[in-house]
Structure formats: C-alpha cells, structure tokens
C-alpha cells in the first residue's frame, strides 16, 4: 500500500519505553490495519471506523510520547536528585498548561490529535476534550501524590547547582561562616569562568581544597542516585558478559570497565605486566 513502515511494533512490560512508539506506529498505519482486519473479518475493524476511538488513540500516542521524552531525559550517568526534581516539577506544570488549553477545547498541544482533528473535521471535539481533561487531571494528581514535595521545591539548595546566580546566598540556609565562604566563592571571576566549562560534579571537586565544607555539602546532595538507571545498566552489562558459556567468570573487573565512562589507562596497565621473553 506504499506505507513508510513495513510492520507494527510490539509492546512488552519489560521494554516500557516502547508503549508510546507502538501507539504512534498503530496510528500511522491505521488505514492499513483497518484493511487487514476487514480482510480477516475481525470485529476489531469497526474500531478504526469509529472517529471517537481514533481520536482517543491519537491522544494516547501523544501523551505517551511526552511521557517517553520525560523518562529518557531522566536517564544517564550524570543525573542527580536536584535536576531530576526540576524536570518532574516542569512536567507537572506542563500538565497544568495542557489542562488549561483543553478546557478551552483546544488540542494544539497534542500534534497528532490536532492534525487528525483538522483533517477529519471532528464534530464532537468537545466530548473528546472532556475525556482528555479528566485523564490529564488524574495523571497530574497521581504525580503530585507520588512526589508530594515536588511542587514545593526547596530553594535552599539552588547555590549547589549554580553558586554564581545573583543573590543566591539569600535563600541558601547556610550558617553565617559558610554564607561568607559562598559569597567569596561567588565573587571569584576565575571560578565563574571555570564553572561554565565543567560539570557541576567536577566544579565542586575542583574547589574542595579551598572551600572544603561547601564542597562536602554540595557533593552530599549530588552523589545520591536519582534513579535506578545505573543499576539497570549494570544488570544489562552483566547479562551480556556472564553467559552460560562463561558462568564461572569473575565479572568484577569486566563489569567496572563496561559501566564506567572513565577511559582505562592502558599504558599503566601494560607497564605492570611482565612480558614473556625468550630464554
């Protein structure tokens, strides 16, 4: 039929990020799937003839796509609890913005649904918006109940993410001595330039010699795992390293190399090995 895609995608509970992708693919191939179901005389073919059902499919494809983007943005080796809280807070505020748009019977924030509504000239868009508003409200309430402290972010740790923001010391919550140290650090132009070229982790490690107490407080907030990403990466790496053919292999050293982003110093490693020479 000249379709861009050759097959549908399969969603499994293990690969949870695939849910948004399979809904997008199903919507894009809805006409081809409809023809196939008609040929098979399946009762499901009537669903693709129902404009209301297709609208709901388009909305689900959009909302799960947004959830996928959120989940992917929260993965990685250099994530910390402070940045993850900010991303979740931003998503909840986006939900509130989407709710306001839907309350005005506008679906422009959902591109797949918006395009389908324009092309199909839907008559009962108000009913669809009522359903979407109910689902978005439940999603927002669920996230707020699951992360109760997200919307009331603690501003006392803002100096950790950027100590050079103007008037950052006013809400730092530090003692007088540490506040004076923070003012001294924030006024150092050389450190400010250095901060722009390194990660937050690297910066606080670099200033540990001069501002030990501030560095220790900052690292205690940045080091805790913000998600299970590192654990999942380790399990995935171990499943590839240790197979039934190598079930007695000690994976400690191999696993460290597999999950670390630090490049091994091969010269030092080779220097410690004694070469075999001819006698």
């Amino acid at each position: 039929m000249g379709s861009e895609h050759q097959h549908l995608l399969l969603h499994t509970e293990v690969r949870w990020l695939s849910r948004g992708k399979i809904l997008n693919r199903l919507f894009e191939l809805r006409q081809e799937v409809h023809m196939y179901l008609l040929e098979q005389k399946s009762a499901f073919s009537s669903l693709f003839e129902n404009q209301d059902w297709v609208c709901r499919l388009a909305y689900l494809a959009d909302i799960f796509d947004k959830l996928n983007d959120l989940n992917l943005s929260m993965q990685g080796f250099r994530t910390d609890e402070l940045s993850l809280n900010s991303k979740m807070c931003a998503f909840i505020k986006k939900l509130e913005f989407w709710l306001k748009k839907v309350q005005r019977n506008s679906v422009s924030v959902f591109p797949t649904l918006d395009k389908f509504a324009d092309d199909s000239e839907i008559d009962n868009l108000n009913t669809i918006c009522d359903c979407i508003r109910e689902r978005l409200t439940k999603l927002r309430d669920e996230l707020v109940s699951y992360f109760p402290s997200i919307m009331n972010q603690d501003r006392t740790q803002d100096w950790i993410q950027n100590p050079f923001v103007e008037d950052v010391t006013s809400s730092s919550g530090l003692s007088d001595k540490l506040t004076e140290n923070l003012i001294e650090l924030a006024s150092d132009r050389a450190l400010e330039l250095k901060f722009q070229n390194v990660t937050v982790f690297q910066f606080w490690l670099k200033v540990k010699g001069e501002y030990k107490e501030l560095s220790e407080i900052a690292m205690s907030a940045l080091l805790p795992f913000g998600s299970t990403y590192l654990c999942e990466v380790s399990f995935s790496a171990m499943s590839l390293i240790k197979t039934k053919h190598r079930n007695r292999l000690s994976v400690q050293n191999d696993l460290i190399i597999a999950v670390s982003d630090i490049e091994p110093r091969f010269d030092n490693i080779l220097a410690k090995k004694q070469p075999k020479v001819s006698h």
Side-chain angles (χ1 to χ4, degrees), residues 26-167:
L26 178 60
F27 181 82
E28 292 172 1
L29 293 175
R30 62 188 183 281
Q31 295 179 352
E32 291 83 349
V33 173
H34 181 218
M35 292 293 294
Y36 172 77
L37 294 176
L38 283 174
E39 292 176 359
Q40 301 297 318
K41 297 181 180 180
S42 171
F44 291 112
S45 62
S46 61
L47 293 175
F48 292 89
E49 300 168 2
N50 186 335
Q51 196 177 63
D52 181 78
W53 187 87
V54 177
C55 284
R56 294 168 188 263
L57 174 63
Y59 159 71
L60 287 175
D62 283 327
I63 193 65
F64 274 107
D65 191 48
K66 294 179 184 296
L67 286 168
N68 282 358
D69 291 340
L70 172 66
N71 287 326
L72 287 173
S73 70
M74 300 177 74
Q75 308 301 314
F77 287 98
R78 290 291 179 261
T79 57
D80 58 85
E81 186 178 345
L82 300 180
S83 61
L84 296 185
N85 283 343
S86 299
K87 291 179 180 179
M88 184 58 66
C89 181
F91 186 79
I92 294 175
K93 290 180 178 179
K94 287 181 184 179
L95 279 171
E96 295 174 347
F97 168 68
W98 300 337
L99 270 170
K100 292 179 181 178
K101 295 286 289 187
V102 173
Q103 286 172 353
R104 296 195 293 268
N105 293 328
S106 171
V107 292
S108 59
V109 292
F110 302 111
T112 305
L113 175 58
D114 187 42
K115 187 176 185 304
F116 178 75
D118 289 341
D119 295 343
S120 304
E121 297 180 359
I122 300 174
D123 299 327
N124 61 334
L125 186 59
N126 294 348
T127 305
I128 301 297
C129 287
D130 290 339
C131 178
I132 294 175
R133 183 172 63 252
E134 179 184 353
R135 298 300 176 185
L136 289 177
T137 302
K138 288 183 178 180
L139 177 59
R140 180 199 59 191
D141 295 342
E142 188 72 19
L143 289 175
V144 171
S145 65
Y146 198 77
F147 303 101
S149 60
I150 287 294
M151 299 308 293
N152 298 319
Q153 284 189 302
D154 186 6
R155 313 303 301 185
T156 59
Q157 293 184 316
D158 286 355
W159 63 272
I160 297 176
Q161 295 178 295
N162 190 349
F164 300 98
V165 175
E166 185 177 355
D167 201 28

Side-chain angles (χ1 to χ4, degrees), residues 2 13 22 28 58 75 119 190 201 203 224 227 241 250 256 276:
E13 291 297 332
I22 67 106
E28 292 172 1
Q75 308 301 314
D119 295 343
F201 294 90
F203 174 78
S227 70
I241 295 172
S250 177
I256 291 174
K276 292 184 178 180

Side-chain angles (χ1 to χ4, degrees), residues 160-189:
I160 297 176
Q161 295 178 295
N162 190 349
F164 300 98
V165 175
E166 185 177 355
D167 201 28
V168 71
T169 57
S170 61
S171 58
S172 63
L174 298 172
S175 65
D176 293 343
K177 179 182 177 181
L178 291 179
T179 300
E180 291 176 0
N181 290 341
L182 182 58
I183 293 173
E184 182 180 338
L185 184 151
S187 303
D188 193 323
R189 179 60 178 168

